[in-house]
Amino acid sequence: METADVVIIGSGIVGSSVAYHLAQAGCTNVLVLEREAHQGKGSTGKSMGGVRAQFSTPVNIQMSRYSIDFFSRFDEVVGHPADYRPHGYLFCATSEKHLAYLQANRERQIALGVTNVEWISPQGIAEMIPQVRVDDVLGGTFCPTDGFVDPHSVMMGFMLNARAHGARLWLDTQVTGIQVDPGSADVPSASGAAFKRRSGGREDADGTSALPALDGRRIAGVMTSRGFISTRVVVNAAGPWAAEVARMAGAELPVEPLRRQLVPTEPFDQLPRRFPMVIDMSTGFHFRREGKGILLAWNDPEETAGFKTEFDTTFVEKILTHAAMRVPCLAEAEVNPRRAWAGLYEMTPDHHAIIGPSPNVEGLYFVNGFSGHGVMHSPASGRITADLILKGDSDLIEASQLGAERFASGKLLEETAVL
Ligand SMILES: Cc1cc2nc3c(=O)[nH]c(=O)nc-3n(C[C@H](O)[C@H](O)[C@H](O)COP(=O)(O)OP(=O)(O)OC[C@H]3O[C@@H](n4cnc5c(N)ncnc54)[C@H](O)[C@@H]3O)c2cc1C
């Protein structure tokens, strides 16, 4: 029978990062299962590739800080290009409320070590990008180390490196079920023991693992289109399909898919060759350069949850209206709707990821619900998940705050800086 110390369901940027971080820590008997014939067919391949530390909650700021530093060293450390471009993120406020919000966020960001977030006047914004209309802008914030990465390349880099260290990737392999056995808190985890033996890590006196044991039922393996795989640890990295995968183990996960549409313009030379991601806080419209054209994004408040991945052509007119309001010359940009695309955000009720062990199934780990931030937080989330599996805690953040229990206990973390 096929066995693995850890089975990861989903080979997008998040599953790939978990595989990389496990392998780096010496846990190499890792099997990643992907139902598609290629990696990146989920949300990762649809992403805008934005990375930013300008968040409102400490945990998101901390995860960004770790991740952006990681992206800046990615090519050297992982041996593959991340195409990190520190072009910055520029938030523009048109109301006193948004101005105060940016001020408070900036203070929090600086206190948490993101010391390069600058306050910027309307004149400063106009100097940076003269084409942006600033007559109603009161001010903004700019962080020069925010910017963009190539999500596909980051995902490939993580996975290639993990595979070079022994992790396996099975494509065309659909997970159809998760086998869960009745368990008890006293049962040691075989996978942890196996890892610790190979890595020379500490074992308990009885030779078993010191992995944290949870009360309740216990993972025994996964059923797939290629047969059963025995394992004691399953990582749910199934992106927008995370709730469906959690249900296979009898666990509830509040992750909903939400369509998100992006519109690239045809080549457009009326904006600078290089400029930051610009966010118009009055509408949520934001844009950045993508090659010779401009990539336009806007979160349509009328969008409803569901697995909708077709691009709605009526969206073009809506987004161009917002674009022309903030950047009048964009009224002249040409758009071919056939080049536009839609993908799925994986939303949680408080717009924060769910990372950590399932409260009721021992050996099941979640790394889900990034609510639009899964690319930028992939280094941190992979590291935290590997830490939790191998050590039971993480020194990167206080991980329990991202646990799935928070929804039952009412300890929600509200992130309002969602684009
Ligand atoms: C339009 C758009 C723009 C975005 N822009 C940004 C951005 O600028 N910055 C940012 O940080 N984030 C952004 N995001 C969000 C980001 O793309 C996601 O958070 C991230 O890609 C999630 O990665 P993942 O690996 O968890 O999921 P995915 O990439 O969706 O990977 C999950 C994988 O699991 C596989 N899978 C699912 N079920 C099974 C099963 N039963 N068996 C086997 N395999 C299975 C799927 O096939 C898929 O390959 C954007 C998203 C969209 C849609």
Side-chain angles (χ1 to χ4, degrees), residues 295-416:
L295 192 53
L296 312 176
W298 176 62
N299 178 8
D300 187 341
E302 288 173 12
E303 192 59 81
T304 52
F307 286 98
K308 294 177 262 176
T309 48
E310 75 292 357
F311 180 77
D312 172 7
T313 49
T314 64
F315 183 74
V316 173
E317 195 181 328
K318 290 189 201 174
I319 200 167
L320 283 178
T321 306
H322 292 302
M325 253 162 45
R326 183 53 57 203
V327 189
C329 69
L330 278 174
E332 292 162 42
E334 281 177 40
V335 166
N336 176 353
R338 276 179 303 193
R339 291 186 55 240
W341 71 91
L344 299 168
Y345 268 19
E346 335 86 65
M347 302 302 290
T348 63
D350 64 1
H351 303 139
H352 277 75
I354 300 169
I355 302 182
S358 157
N360 57 357
V361 183
E362 185 188 344
L364 176 63
Y365 289 81
F366 301 127
V367 55
N368 303 115
F370 287 90
S371 307
H373 315 134
V375 165
M376 65 182 91
H377 285 166
S378 60
S381 51
R383 164 69 204 284
I384 295 163
T385 307
D387 283 351
L388 291 175
I389 292 171
L390 302 175
K391 298 187 290 192
D393 63 10
S394 177
D395 58 7
L396 205 154
I397 56 160
E398 174 42 58
S400 62
Q401 60 189 314
L402 293 179
E405 301 91 329
R406 71 181 188 269
F407 301 103
S409 62
K411 290 188 184 147
L412 270 63
L413 301 148
E414 189 54 36
E415 176 57 77
T416 43

Side-chain angles (χ1 to χ4, degrees), residues 41 84 97 101 106 123 163 170 182 297 305 313 353 369 378 415:
K41 304 275 256 180
Y84 168 58
K97 187 176 146 221
Y101 171 78
R106 178 170 174 262
Q123 293 72 25
R163 292 175 74 185
W170 286 6
T313 49
S378 60
E415 176 57 77

Side-chain angles (χ1 to χ4, degrees), residues 9-15 33-36 41-44 46-50 89 173-175 237-241 245 248 260 262 341 343-346 370 372-377:
I9 303 174
S11 72
I13 199 164
V14 172
L33 303 177
E34 170 57 57
R35 65 180 168 199
E36 301 286 350
K41 304 275 256 180
S43 299
T44 301
K46 307 288 168 54
S47 170
M48 201 175 183
Y89 262 56
T173 309
Q174 167 114 19
V175 174
W241 300 275
V245 166
M248 292 179 190
R260 184 74 187 177
L262 295 179
W341 71 91
L344 299 168
Y345 268 19
E346 335 86 65
F370 287 90
H373 315 134
V375 165
M376 65 182 91
H377 285 166

